[in-house]
Amino acid sequence: MTSPARPAAVVVLAAGEGTRMKSDTPKVLHELCGRSLVGHVLAAAGRLEPAHLAVVVGFQRERVTAHVTGLDGRVVTAVQDQQLGTGHAVRCALAELPDLDGPIVVLNGDTPLLTAETLQALVNGHVEAGNAATVLTASVPDPTGLGRIVRDAEGRVRRIVEHRDATAEERTIAEINSGMFAFDAKHLRAMLDRLTTDNDQGQEYLTDVLGLLVEDGHPVAAMVAPDYRETLGCNDRVEFAGLRALLRDRLVTAAMRAGATVIDPASVWFDVDVVVGRDVTIHPNVQLRGATVIEDRAEIGPDTTLIDTTVGAGATVVRAHATQAEIGPEASVGPYAYLRPGSVLARKAKVGTYVETKNARIGEGSKVPHLTYVGDATIGEHSNIGAASVFVNYDGVKKHHTTIGDHCRTGSDNMFVAPVSVGDGAYTAAGSVITEDVPPGAMAVARARQRNVEGWVERRRPGTAAADAAAAARRVASGEGTVEGSIPPATTDIPGSGQ
């Protein structure tokens, strides 16, 4: 089997502002499905293993340079101070590279659907045929506004004609120029030196290189993309949204073909680095972002967002938001739970309704079922945290840690004032404020003793429905009245009731 051809260089054109995006952000830095537009292109180009990888920058060049060099340390940037055309941009790139021999691939920086497989086929075909240039083309449903590929009677590429310059007959051609090419390095350098600005835009067009090569008798060919959508770029937010939806469809379809069930694909969004296992069920309105991993048989959603989060096999996550969290096998999260960075749930752990966790480790089989904040804490195995508890981790200056041992039972409405620990097998009473360590097996009671002030309501709230009810109940208890009809109807005008 022939080894894949490696390009001498890949040049990515990313100098434009993208004015129709109407944004302070350069067009190529707009993100979709977890990567910038140019990031998607660099990812595909990088898989070709080129000897050199160059990005042409211009608008906000410092910002774009920082971004692309951060994505791939091999990137060399070339500055195009003035936008003088695609030919000029490639000239700027070659000026930053050594004298090359072999194929040079030129790509647009705003084509996120382009695949490495298509690029490799382009390079392989170019090298095997010994072409001076090979243009990547596409057959599109509506070619309006796009450059057409003009072939001769034998099907050989003769030139590229822009829509505005095309004849009526040429405008019927459905095969369009993608703006992406493979060139022989030496031929490309020679033809760039012959480009002129003798056109209505006053720019050097890279497409004119093909015409010059044909004039000189050099072989020029075209490869039709297997899916025209791979060649799509964007000029405005509407087209950008269309690309995002197409990429989403590709990613979700791949997950389903690999064995996941997606109930409503149109309402589910994946980033490109998301990994989804087999027999996973994903319900509507789910967003899986960053480097999220969903292991086999897990069930996600509905209404769930997971960012850089791992979900173990057989776990369930319902109506939850998690960032940089680890959810163990067969664990349960939600509904309406918020897992912040550093949250780690062991096997069969539970984080329930209206629970927030941060920098917290919850041991195997332990449960935090309701209305609780767990911050900077370790909870051991098979413990239960009562409803409406708060792990009080912040003293106004520093964060402190709370440790709950194994097989603990903490009461509802507890405050654990860190730093504090509760030993294995200990209990805490409802309503307690735990400020001191609790020994293993102890019952901690940290609340004031209840005191009943008899007759307070009748004395201090005379004439209210509460006072009337209390008086009626007292008469019944003393034998002075009967239960039926003894309690007046309640009203909504009760001071302090919140009604």
Side-chain angles (χ1 to χ4, degrees):
M1 181 177 179
T2 305
S3 299
R6 290 184 58 195
V10 173
V11 175
V12 179
L13 307 183
E17 178 180 356
T19 54
R20 280 179 280 179
M21 294 290 283
K22 299 190 186 314
S23 174
D24 293 333
T25 299
K27 180 175 72 170
V28 295
L29 298 191
H30 283 260
E31 291 191 1
L32 69 167
C33 298
R35 286 185 189 146
S36 64
L37 284 168
V38 71
H40 286 285
V41 177
L42 288 174
R47 288 180 56 189
L48 301 181
E49 299 182 356
H52 300 277
L53 183 55
V55 177
V56 181
V57 299
F59 178 69
Q60 292 193 23
R61 66 192 188 201
E62 295 86 359
R63 187 175 175 185
V64 177
T65 295
H67 178 74
V68 296
T69 54
L71 292 175
D72 193 323
R74 298 173 296 174
V75 168
V76 173
T77 57
V79 177
Q80 186 184 28
D81 285 318
Q82 294 179 287
Q83 313 303 295
L84 299 179
T86 52
H88 177 259
V90 173
R91 187 200 306 276
C92 292
L94 295 185
E96 299 297 327
L97 299 175
D99 192 16
L100 301 173
D101 185 21
I104 294 178
V105 177
V106 179
L107 304 176
N108 296 322
D110 66 344
T111 53
L113 300 177
L114 187 65
T115 65
E117 291 75 16
T118 294
L119 286 180
Q120 190 65 70
L122 174 69
V123 176
N124 288 348
H126 172 80
V127 171
E128 290 168 5
N131 292 328
T134 305
V135 55
L136 181 64
T137 69
S139 182
V140 299
D142 180 8
T144 303
L146 302 173
R148 308 302 206 280
I149 302 298
V150 180
R151 297 175 181 262
D152 62 19
E154 285 74 36
R156 294 172 299 197
V157 175
R158 307 311 296 168
R159 64 193 178 99
I160 298 172
V161 60
E162 295 302 321
H163 179 89
R164 63 179 176 272
D165 300 323
T167 66
E169 182 180 0
E170 289 170 337
R171 290 186 180 186
T172 65
I173 298 172
E175 186 182 8
I176 60 93
N177 168 36
S178 72
M180 293 177 277
F181 307 85
F183 292 102
D184 174 78
K186 295 191 181 302
H187 284 114
L188 176 61
R189 284 188 184 274
M191 295 304 116
L192 287 175
D193 289 339
R194 291 170 55 182
L195 291 180
T196 71
T197 58
D198 186 18
N199 52 63
D200 60 354
Q201 298 293 316
Q203 295 186 344
E204 297 178 19
Y205 292 143
L206 187 61
T207 51
D208 289 345
V209 168
L210 272 69
L212 293 172
L213 288 169
V214 170
E215 287 179 11
D216 287 2
H218 298 296
V220 173
M223 188 194 96
V224 181
D227 184 342
Y228 78 91
R229 292 172 293 189
E230 287 193 43
T231 68
L232 294 177
C234 65
N235 291 308
D236 58 28
R237 306 281 185 143
V238 175
E239 293 176 352
F240 182 69
L243 293 180
R244 183 189 288 115
L246 288 170
L247 184 52
R248 182 272 314 278
D249 291 346
R250 177 191 290 177
L251 297 170
V252 174
T253 297
M256 291 191 290
R257 294 197 186 282
T261 294
V262 181
I263 303 299
D264 180 18
S267 71
V268 171
W269 293 87
F270 289 178
D271 280 355
V272 291
D273 291 325
V274 167
V275 177
V276 178
R278 297 177 62 178
D279 294 315
V280 168
T281 299
I282 299 176
H283 292 276
N285 300 320
V286 167
Q287 295 188 49
L288 304 180
R289 296 167 53 190
T292 291
V293 175
I294 311 297
E295 297 182 358
D296 296 350
R297 303 182 306 284
E299 187 167 0
I300 311 297
D303 308 323
T304 295
T305 298
L306 305 179
I307 305 168
D308 296 323
T309 291
T310 299
V311 179
T316 60
V317 184
V318 181
R319 291 189 170 90
H321 188 108
T323 301
Q324 297 175 25
E326 297 180 30
I327 300 168
E330 302 177 73
S332 172
V333 176
Y336 309 114
Y338 181 21
L339 274 57
R340 293 166 57 191
S343 297
V344 179
L345 280 64
R347 178 181 297 274
K348 294 187 176 181
K350 174 182 176 65
V351 167
T353 307
Y354 299 114
V355 174
E356 178 181 343
T357 63
K358 188 271 296 180
N359 193 28
R361 304 184 70 87
I362 300 172
E364 181 172 348
S366 287
K367 299 178 180 179
V368 188
H370 328 280
L371 301 161
T372 293
Y373 171 68
V374 182
D376 296 290
T378 300
I379 299 173
E381 297 181 355
H382 305 290
S383 290
N384 189 85
I385 307 301
S389 294
V390 175
F391 286 60
V392 185
N393 57 334
Y394 185 48
D395 64 7
V397 178
K398 295 181 180 179
K399 299 289 182 69
H400 301 279
H401 198 82
T402 295
T403 300
I404 308 292
D406 298 340
H407 297 281
C408 294
R409 298 292 181 268
T410 68
S412 296
D413 196 24
N414 275 195
M415 304 287 123
F416 299 97
V417 182
V420 72
S421 65
V422 176
D424 293 348
Y427 279 50
T428 61
S432 292
V433 178
I434 305 300
T435 59
E436 299 178 1
D437 292 349
V438 180
M443 160 66 87
V445 182
R447 64 190 184 207
R449 183 177 294 276
Q450 180 174 321
R451 182 167 66 97
N452 298 330
V453 182
E454 294 288 342
W456 185 91
V457 172
E458 292 177 74
R459 294 194 303 273
R460 302 300 296 270
R461 298 291 187 269
T464 64
D468 292 344
R474 181 173 45 77
R475 289 194 297 271
V476 170
S478 65
E480 297 177 3
T482 61
V483 174
E484 183 178 355
S486 62
I487 301 177
T491 70
T492 57
D493 187 19
I494 303 174
S497 69
Q499 299 187 40

